[in-house]
Amino acid sequence: MEQTFGDFLVSNFNQFWHFTGFYNATWQHFVMLAVGLFFIWLAIKKDFEPMLLVPIGFGILIGNIPFNTEAGLEIGIYEQGSVLNILYNGVSAGWYPPLIFLGIGAMTDFSALIANPKLMLIGAAAQFGIFGAYMVALAIGFEPDQAGAIAIIGGADGPTAIFLSSKLAPNLMGAIAVSAYSYMALVPVIQPPIMRLLTTNKERLIKMKPARAVSQNEKIIFPIIGLILTCFVVPTGIPLLGMLFFGNLLRECGVTTRLAKTASNALTDIVTILLGMTVGASTQATSFLTAETIFIFFLGFMAFIIASASGVLFVKLFNLFLSKDKKINPLIGNAGVSAVPMSARISNNLGLEYDPSNYLLMHAMGPNVAGVIGSAVAAGVLLGFLA
């Protein structure tokens, strides 16, 4: 029987309807769309790390527009050959994080750490959150490689979390990355209550001596010595630590200013956009909304709390062995996590809250940049043991 024009229109409309997001949507898609909008709201209205949360939030919207997965349209982030899948290779293959570390190195001044090397110990102490969360994740029932990838969230370092999870637990990478960046953005909310709880008013008023001046030669030598010392211990950390110290050498050597500016500005911005958007898009509702994801967010939160508390408590313990004129303000202990420079700003803001003349920012930058190195070293250790 010959098909009428009306039947033809109805057939084509039905076919079109089956391709629309309205037809393919589930309640999980709307939950994730709400999460994406919430991230964008936090970034714009609350100014919580907009450089991270706007790309991630919009990426969540992109990744959760429903479509017919059986049609072979090559538009989804997990469909081989699609544009999003090609961009996502930088996450899944782990080559966005080293580029981010190159930019971090190029924009970071390590003077505070060079002037007062004992602040490195605070950054190391804060990594206890990583290994504490690792043990808890094992106890809950995660496999060792999955537990290691989840635990790195405690370092509050999104690129490191992505790099390690891409090697150890690719199937959990979306949840781990979103969790890590979420807690990085929520540093101003999470850390101050911990710092107030663990310190006394007398301790908050401790004034530290101004750091000594650091010579240009020291700044040039530091990334070279830092690379050799850390990577001889954990060669598995070369992709992150190598790029971090290389970027810092570009900044400090004085003859590669253009390269340093490119690495710290244009290159970092481009990679941040692509990384944030693709990480957000990887949170497709069908694979993201699981009980496993809830456990990951819980463990990440716990790791972040332990890391922040460990830094503060370590300073309190360390002060028992220091003379009165050399004591460290425990408010800079939270900066041992590698959320640069957010944690250092929190230390400074809280110090000014109790004493308007007590500026802690430069002191807090020491453990803060040490935390960047420490989280990369911790990732190298976990990768060396578990890969």
Side-chain angles (χ1 to χ4, degrees):
M1 184 176 179
E2 189 174 334
Q3 187 182 40
T4 66
F5 181 68
D7 291 336
F8 173 77
L9 288 179
V10 170
S11 174
N12 277 266
F13 179 79
N14 282 333
Q15 184 178 0
F16 173 76
W17 171 247
H18 281 72
F19 278 103
T20 65
F22 297 104
Y23 178 82
N24 292 283
T26 64
W27 67 267
Q28 291 97 329
H29 287 105
F30 291 108
V31 170
M32 291 309 302
L33 289 173
V35 171
L37 292 173
F38 178 64
F39 274 37
I40 295 171
W41 178 80
L42 284 176
I44 297 173
K45 290 297 183 180
K46 298 296 183 180
D47 199 30
F48 285 175
E49 286 305 304
M51 299 284 283
L52 297 175
L53 291 192
V54 169
I56 292 175
F58 203 83
I60 292 173
L61 300 185
I62 291 174
N64 286 281
I65 300 295
F67 62 92
N68 189 336
T69 56
E70 298 176 358
L73 299 175
E74 293 187 355
I75 55 175
I77 197 167
Y78 294 117
E79 293 186 289
Q80 292 296 323
S82 72
V83 173
L84 286 176
N85 181 258
I86 292 170
L87 295 176
Y88 187 60
N89 282 339
V91 176
S92 58
W95 52 266
Y96 283 156
L99 292 176
I100 292 289
F101 263 67
L102 175 66
I104 292 173
M107 67 177 73
T108 300
D109 184 356
F110 285 96
S111 296
L113 184 60
I114 299 171
N116 194 356
K118 63 177 176 285
L119 297 179
M120 175 70 80
L121 297 174
I122 304 174
Q127 307 314 311
F128 182 75
I130 294 174
F131 297 101
Y134 174 68
M135 291 184 285
V136 174
L138 285 177
I140 289 176
F142 283 98
E143 295 297 321
D145 52 352
Q146 294 177 328
I150 294 167
I152 203 68
I153 297 170
D157 191 328
T160 301
I162 290 171
F163 176 79
L164 191 63
S165 58
S166 71
K167 305 297 182 184
L168 297 180
N171 59 312
L172 302 180
M173 186 160 45
I176 291 170
V178 172
S179 177
Y181 278 114
S182 297
Y183 294 135
M184 284 175 64
L186 292 174
V187 160
V189 176
I190 298 173
Q191 286 196 327
I194 299 171
M195 297 159 68
R196 290 190 177 96
L197 178 66
L198 298 178
T199 57
T200 65
N201 193 62
K202 182 180 178 181
E203 289 172 330
R204 297 174 201 136
L205 296 175
I206 292 175
K207 285 193 174 183
M208 299 172 64
K209 287 184 177 180
R212 69 173 179 83
V214 176
S215 70
Q216 190 63 28
N217 285 338
E218 288 178 289
K219 293 181 179 180
I220 293 173
I221 293 171
F222 177 79
I224 298 171
I225 299 299
L227 171 70
I228 294 172
L229 289 180
T230 56
C231 291
F232 263 72
V233 176
V234 281
T236 43
I238 289 174
L240 298 179
L241 292 166
M243 296 298 269
L244 175 73
F245 289 122
F246 174 48
N248 190 244
L249 182 62
L250 292 179
R251 169 195 170 95
E252 303 296 356
C253 69
V255 293
T256 54
T257 304
R258 284 175 53 192
L259 298 182
K261 286 182 177 179
T262 298
S264 61
N265 292 302
L267 179 61
T268 298
D269 290 344
I270 291 169
V271 177
T272 298
I273 291 169
L274 295 177
L275 186 148
M277 187 273 293
T278 51
V279 162
S282 70
T283 63
Q284 288 188 356
T286 51
S287 57
F288 189 79
L289 286 178
T290 64
E292 208 169 47
T293 300
I294 295 173
F295 278 124
I296 289 171
F297 269 79
F298 167 74
L299 288 168
F301 182 69
M302 185 197 68
F304 191 76
I305 296 267
I306 294 173
S308 301
S310 297
V312 175
L313 292 174
F314 177 80
V315 174
K316 289 166 68 77
L317 177 64
F318 198 29
N319 277 343
L320 297 177
F321 304 94
L322 298 176
S323 59
K324 187 177 181 180
D325 62 326
K326 292 183 179 180
K327 290 193 183 297
I328 301 171
N329 192 313
L331 291 179
I332 74 170
N334 73 296
V337 300
S338 59
V340 179
M342 293 171 282
S343 292
R345 287 194 195 125
I346 298 301
S347 303
N348 187 60
N349 292 344
L350 218 57
L352 292 175
E353 182 181 317
Y354 292 95
D355 180 354
S357 66
N358 194 9
Y359 292 90
L360 296 172
L361 183 60
M362 291 311 298
H363 298 294
M365 283 302 298
N368 210 186
V369 296
V372 176
I373 299 172
S375 65
V377 169
V381 170
L382 290 170
L383 189 58
F385 275 102
L386 301 173

